[in-house]
Amino acid sequence: MQKTTQRYKVTIEGIVQGIGFRPYIFNLARENNLGGFIRNNGQGVHLEIEGESTDITSFITRIRNNPLPLAQITAISKIELPTLNESVFKIVASDISSERNTLIAPDICVCDDCLREMLDPNNRRYRYPFINCTNCGPRYTIIEDIPYDRPKTAMKNFRMCAACESEYHNPQNRRFHAQPNACPECGPQITLYDKTQKQITTSDPIQETIDLLQQGYIIAIKGLGGFHLVVDATNQEAVQKLRVRKNREEKPLAMMSLNLHRIKEFAIINPEEEPLLLSPQRPIVLLEKRNPNPIAPEAAPGNRRFGVMLPYTPLHYLLCDSPIPALVMTSGNMSEEPITVNNNEGFKRLAAIADFFLIHNRDIYLRSDDSVSRIFNTTPLVLRRSRGYVPQPIILKQSGPSILACGAELKNTICLTKNKNAFVSQHIGDLKNIETYDFFIQTINHLKQILDIRPEFIAYDLHPDYLSSRYALKQTNFEKIGVQHHHAHIASCMLENSVEGPVIGLALDGTGYGTDGRIWGGEVLLVDGATFQRLAHPEYVRMPGGESAIKQPWRMAISYLFHSFGYESENVLPLLEIPKSKTDTILKMIESEFNSPETSGIGRLFDGVSGLLNICHNASYEGQAAIELEMRSNMNQKARPYPFEWRGKTYPYQIQIAPIIKGIISDIKEGRGVGEIGFRFHLTLIILFSELCLFLKKETGLNRVALSGGVFQNMILLKGLYKSLTQSGFQVFTHSKLPPNDGGISLGQISIAKSKIQA
Ligand code: ZN
Ligand code: ZN
Ligand code: FE
């Protein structure tokens, strides 16, 4: 065959910056005897290659088939150019002028090569807590702007030493163009302080920190995406002290342990959970407790699971390598505030909680909480999508104008689209407090900047009081699209499963604003793109005191009693372990309909049942009453559901709650246990919604069901409904990449806004 020399301009788009892509291409070009160059640009990377046509083909095929583990290539295009007789391949400086279209890599856990070096006494980075390379280390949290080059990152103030510089410029080196490259000579440093900001003089701040942890102190430790509050998880007194100081009495605390072997001493790891723990995202994984275990009971009271993660930064590895089997590693904040990132802010906000501070001088540009995940049916189900996953885009079917979706109010995330990419932000949190609202605005602006997005449309929740909706309505130069909350839940589940309508959507949720101005949350919907129809919902009941009814589940218990027994409910009220003076007041509120909005929320029904069973009367965190009801329920093959029915000649059918409540009350009177009643209640909902779907299938012909909403964090319900619907012949869609809770709302808003724009 005749040999021909050709030259091409090649553009590669996707996540190709900040992950060692240029050295990879450099070496590949050399192997294929190609000349030319590569550089980062706004779209990704741009290269020109010159050589034999067969070599060019094999070069492109290799890129397509074997990209780097962290690369996510979305497009490769090539245009032929006149040859220039170039035989050497070079890496050239970034082209700043072009449009920014590139994808940014998430923060990635330290790689095995770096770990090996860090533990080698002969290596110049021995025990250096900021070791990294092109295959690992911080990305999203340290990027100020793109293109991703050192002066645009938190590393800009650290001037590389000669040794680091030579690695950085050597294409054969693992640290070639690794922007956060650093060593003990030239890079960030850690320092230990007491809470009065007095530096603790020590030659080994890490060993000193471990000693302090062993003595039971609380240490605020600055990590990758923010501060953690850290104590020895086996020290009961220390864990208790942390709870008291953090004003958060019962929410399970996340833990970190050196390796799987150590985790197995206090938790059970299934074969599917192991790769999730080990994945480069290093999420907190919800694992079943091993009993007995050495962990302080206060770490996760009232829960059958521990939230556990493996170390993800070199600093964490050094800290976990101690005699302490597990560390509590909870977000450095007061309850519900965003995680602290800045050193001064850390001292100010955490001094009331922490005894000591282990901090470093590399800035965090964008805070990012730890992600939380678990296994459902052998695949991961993300419950909080944050560090490690963000800003990896969800790929849309069709390109379109850029949209900003503002999300909901609790567990807020926002989402921005550009072409076919939907970028869901990290977990922002509960917008009701001002710090979180500031973080919400900062995240929108930062993501717009680093992704170079100028949205034309803005999508928001219909709830007029959500701060995210108010923000949306205040903006000018946008076309605004209001989206119903539960429509968004179902659309989010459909989008991540690439399902196009129509489907039956079961949105089982806490609260969401309905189109009738009432609070929805037990919605059976027919969803078809931009539109939805309400097919059925539980009968409305009152929420005495509005928001207070969410914080005090016993109020919902009274409301369900009144709903079911009317004026007879006085006779059953003594079952509640609540003083009569209080129950009387609430009963009057319900009767007079004073400050008692109506709700159809299944989340509220869980609260009410949890209250009736005296499991949880005051919730110290969102969803506590429902979680504890799930945890106390004992699965039983022989259990039978409570009576249920739905009524109505037209949509929406009214699901009757009274028969369920009456069934529960008669079980309580017969002296049946909480475990048995709790499970019967779950089973009732499983069978009720399965039969309702079968009934609706006859009417609508629909054979597909999408499950979404915060209540699907309940595994008894999710597993039970999935199984029962599947056995009934339905095709069932559930979440995996995005949470079923309100963290997934922003993506659902995007999906609906896109359909409305196209319509
Ligand atoms: Zn590395
Ligand atoms: Zn150096
Ligand atoms: Fe919701």
Side-chain angles (χ1 to χ4, degrees):
M1 205 172 93
Q2 198 196 337
K3 287 197 168 186
T4 47
T5 303
Q6 288 175 314
R7 188 176 179 95
Y8 284 98
K9 175 183 170 171
V10 182
T11 307
I12 305 175
E13 294 176 43
I15 296 184
V16 288
Q17 288 188 19
I19 52 159
F21 198 75
R22 287 175 298 173
Y24 160 75
I25 292 291
F26 178 90
N27 290 322
L28 208 57
R30 281 195 167 184
E31 279 170 39
N32 288 285
N33 306 308
L34 303 178
F37 65 87
I38 176 169
R39 76 168 154 225
N40 278 348
N41 71 1
Q43 276 83 33
V45 294
H46 155 211
L47 39 149
E48 288 190 15
I49 43 169
E50 182 165 342
E52 294 300 328
S53 58
T54 47
D55 290 334
I56 289 178
T57 311
S58 95
F59 173 79
I60 303 269
T61 313
R62 284 275 295 281
I63 298 173
R64 269 189 216 281
N65 296 345
N66 306 303
L68 288 178
L70 301 172
Q72 193 185 332
I73 294 173
T74 54
I76 302 181
S77 60
K78 76 182 204 252
I79 303 169
E80 188 158 8
L81 301 172
T83 56
L84 295 174
N85 224 347
E86 197 174 5
S87 59
V88 179
F89 196 86
K90 290 187 296 257
I91 296 180
V92 300
S94 297
D95 165 12
I96 320 168
S97 60
S98 60
E99 197 207 351
R100 303 156 189 200
N101 212 346
T102 189
L103 303 181
I104 290 160
D107 303 293
I108 297 135
C109 77
V110 59
C111 74
D112 291 343
D113 290 331
C114 285
L115 261 189
R116 215 172 295 123
E117 288 180 358
M118 185 181 73
L119 300 174
D120 173 5
N122 297 316
N123 192 285
R124 69 190 187 91
R125 292 188 178 88
Y126 178 56
R127 290 178 66 80
Y128 180 55
F130 301 94
I131 188 169
N132 67 82
C133 72
T134 46
N135 301 319
C136 74
R139 296 290 184 274
Y140 179 60
T141 50
I142 61 161
I143 292 177
E144 202 179 15
D145 202 352
I146 54 162
Y148 174 67
D149 279 333
R150 194 162 171 120
K152 301 277 174 67
T153 71
M155 291 303 294
K156 66 183 172 198
N157 298 326
F158 300 96
R159 216 201 138 107
M160 272 185 277
C161 67
C164 285
E165 186 110 17
S166 84
E167 293 167 335
Y168 184 88
H169 291 295
N170 175 5
Q172 313 298 328
N173 194 286
R174 204 172 86 246
R175 300 198 166 86
F176 179 63
H177 285 199
Q179 305 305 343
N181 189 25
C183 77
E185 291 302 311
C186 66
Q189 300 292 340
I190 49 170
T191 323
L192 184 63
Y193 290 90
D194 71 10
K195 63 176 168 189
T196 68
Q197 298 192 43
K198 205 176 99 212
Q199 190 177 338
I200 308 288
T201 36
T202 163
S203 59
D204 191 346
I206 289 173
Q207 189 51 53
E208 187 71 34
T209 303
I210 292 171
D211 292 345
L212 290 167
L213 286 165
Q214 282 185 295
Q215 291 164 45
Y217 288 109
I218 301 173
I219 324 283
I221 299 177
K222 185 178 175 185
L224 185 68
F227 273 86
H228 281 115
L229 289 162
V230 184
V231 293
D232 173 354
T234 59
N235 185 328
Q236 197 166 339
E237 219 175 294
V239 178
Q240 250 163 2
K241 193 167 64 180
L242 175 62
R243 284 218 177 268
V244 171
R245 292 195 194 163
K246 223 187 159 189
N247 278 344
R248 181 162 79 161
E249 274 159 45
E250 285 141 81
K251 193 168 184 173
L253 300 168
M255 300 193 293
M256 184 181 275
S257 211
L258 183 63
N259 51 36
L260 295 175
H261 177 75
R262 280 202 176 172
I263 296 175
K264 284 176 185 164
E265 283 167 27
F266 58 88
I268 296 161
I269 307 176
N270 294 331
E272 295 88 11
E273 288 160 343
E274 207 166 295
L276 185 57
L277 280 163
L278 289 166
S279 67
Q281 291 86 6
R282 291 287 153 94
I284 295 167
V285 180
L286 304 185
L287 301 173
E288 201 183 322
K289 286 180 181 174
R290 184 179 290 287
N291 286 313
N293 65 66
I295 306 298
E298 291 78 4
N303 207 302
R304 291 184 185 183
R305 291 186 176 251
F306 285 127
V308 192
M309 62 186 146
L310 287 170
Y312 53 89
T313 69
L315 176 63
H316 294 150
Y317 270 98
L318 294 169
L319 286 167
C320 286
D321 192 6
S322 82
I324 304 172
L327 295 171
V328 161
M329 282 283 235
T330 183
S331 310
N333 54 5
M334 288 304 277
S335 307
E336 309 306 332
E337 283 179 6
I339 188 167
T340 308
V341 290
N342 169 295
N343 291 345
N344 291 331
E345 185 198 351
F347 279 118
K348 214 165 65 194
R349 286 171 60 191
L350 304 177
I353 309 175
D355 301 304
F356 294 91
F357 287 76
L358 182 67
I359 63 173
H360 61 72
N361 54 350
R362 187 178 69 200
D363 287 338
I364 299 170
Y365 283 136
L366 208 58
R367 56 166 66 82
S368 195
D369 286 88
D370 294 317
S371 295
V372 182
S373 191
R374 67 177 304 154
I375 295 290
F376 163 64
N377 275 353
T378 74
T379 47
L381 164 62
V382 173
L383 299 173
R384 182 165 77 198
R385 187 179 179 273
S386 223
R387 178 199 34 87
Y389 297 94
V390 174
Q392 196 136 336
I394 308 290
I395 309 294
L396 303 169
K397 272 214 171 120
Q398 276 153 13
S399 204
S402 285
I403 308 166
L404 163 65
C406 297
E409 173 114 318
L410 297 173
K411 296 187 165 70
N412 177 279
T413 61
I414 60 112
C415 183
L416 280 157
T417 66
K418 184 171 192 176
N419 305 328
K420 279 186 177 178
N421 298 314
F423 301 94
V424 180
S425 74
Q426 72 275 40
H427 166 83
I428 294 173
D430 178 357
L431 294 189
K432 269 187 218 110
N433 72 68
I434 186 72
E435 286 83 4
T436 318
Y437 182 68
D438 289 344
F439 178 33
F440 163 83
I441 303 215
Q442 186 202 354
T443 304
I444 293 175
N445 293 335
H446 189 76
L447 274 174
K448 268 160 64 174
Q449 173 75 16
I450 62 172
L451 300 167
D452 194 34
I453 297 178
R454 282 169 294 267
E456 294 167 55
F457 294 87
I458 188 165
Y460 62 95
D461 193 282
L462 291 180
H463 200 305
D465 297 332
Y466 279 3
L467 287 181
S468 55
S469 308
R470 289 201 194 159
Y471 167 87
L473 293 168
K474 268 196 323 225
Q475 306 304 307
T476 47
N477 305 326
F478 283 103
E479 220 174 292
K480 291 159 196 166
I481 301 169
V483 177
Q484 201 279 324
H485 188 92
H486 303 100
H487 187 195
H489 268 306
I490 299 302
S492 157
C493 177
M494 289 165 72
L495 195 154
E496 78 158 275
N497 287 290
S498 306
V499 175
E500 281 171 45
V503 301
I504 296 173
L506 286 186
L508 306 188
D509 203 25
T511 55
Y513 194 80
T515 49
D516 59 0
R518 293 182 172 101
I519 300 166
W520 293 9
E523 308 312 305
V524 185
L525 308 174
L526 190 161
V527 174
D528 191 1
T531 61
F532 76 93
Q533 184 185 8
R534 202 177 186 205
L535 300 178
H537 64 84
E539 279 184 303
Y540 288 116
V541 299
R542 299 268 164 196
M543 280 170 70
E547 288 280 299
S548 340
I550 300 175
K551 298 213 166 76
Q552 299 179 327
W554 60 272
R555 292 183 182 227
M556 286 314 299
I558 298 173
S559 183
Y560 283 107
L561 286 179
F562 183 74
H563 175 82
S564 310
F565 296 94
Y567 293 97
E568 310 271 293
S569 48
E570 302 244 10
N571 306 327
V572 274
L573 271 179
L575 293 174
L576 272 185
E577 290 162 6
I578 294 287
K580 190 173 174 341
S581 57
K582 280 175 141 186
T583 58
D584 282 352
T585 316
I586 296 305
L587 206 53
K588 278 204 195 90
M589 266 177 105
I590 299 166
E591 284 170 23
S592 62
E593 299 176 5
F594 172 74
N595 186 21
S596 298
E598 290 177 289
T599 181
S600 60
I602 290 291
R604 296 291 81 74
L605 180 59
F606 268 90
D607 285 353
V609 172
S610 189
L612 281 178
L613 295 174
N614 295 302
I615 292 174
C616 176
H617 287 313
N618 293 288
S620 70
Y621 63 92
E622 196 208 341
Q624 182 181 356
I627 291 168
E628 291 184 358
L629 175 57
E630 177 189 1
M631 294 300 155
R632 297 277 294 273
S633 298
N634 291 326
M635 300 248 210
N636 175 0
Q637 299 297 327
K638 288 189 201 131
R640 287 183 34 247
Y642 293 115
F644 60 82
E645 61 173 320
W646 55 86
R647 289 183 190 162
K649 290 206 168 60
T650 55
Y651 297 137
Y653 300 137
Q654 308 284 308
I655 299 166
Q656 306 294 300
I657 298 299
I660 303 175
I661 299 295
K662 285 179 175 163
I664 290 172
I665 293 300
S666 95
D667 267 1
I668 295 175
K669 283 183 172 165
E670 280 173 35
R672 293 184 194 276
V674 165
E676 185 183 343
I677 300 174
F679 184 69
R680 278 194 83 179
F681 169 66
H682 280 87
L683 185 69
T684 308
L685 295 182
I686 292 165
I687 297 183
L688 187 164
F689 283 107
S690 302
E691 292 199 359
L692 184 52
C693 284
L694 277 171
F695 187 81
L696 292 168
K697 181 179 168 177
K698 281 189 211 127
E699 297 190 338
T700 62
L702 293 176
N703 192 39
R704 303 189 296 178
V705 182
L707 307 180
S708 189
V711 171
F712 285 111
Q713 293 170 103
N714 179 314
M715 293 312 273
I716 301 179
L717 197 69
L718 177 61
K719 281 185 188 161
L721 251 176
Y722 183 88
K723 192 171 159 202
S724 143
L725 287 168
T726 310
Q727 283 172 349
S728 303
F730 284 102
Q731 204 183 350
V732 186
F733 302 99
T734 59
H735 283 281
S736 154
K737 293 185 205 130
L738 280 149
N741 61 45
D742 286 4
I745 287 284
S746 61
L747 186 75
Q749 292 173 341
I750 290 288
S751 169
I752 294 161
K754 274 182 86 72
S755 306
K756 288 195 174 172
I757 294 164
Q758 277 162 13

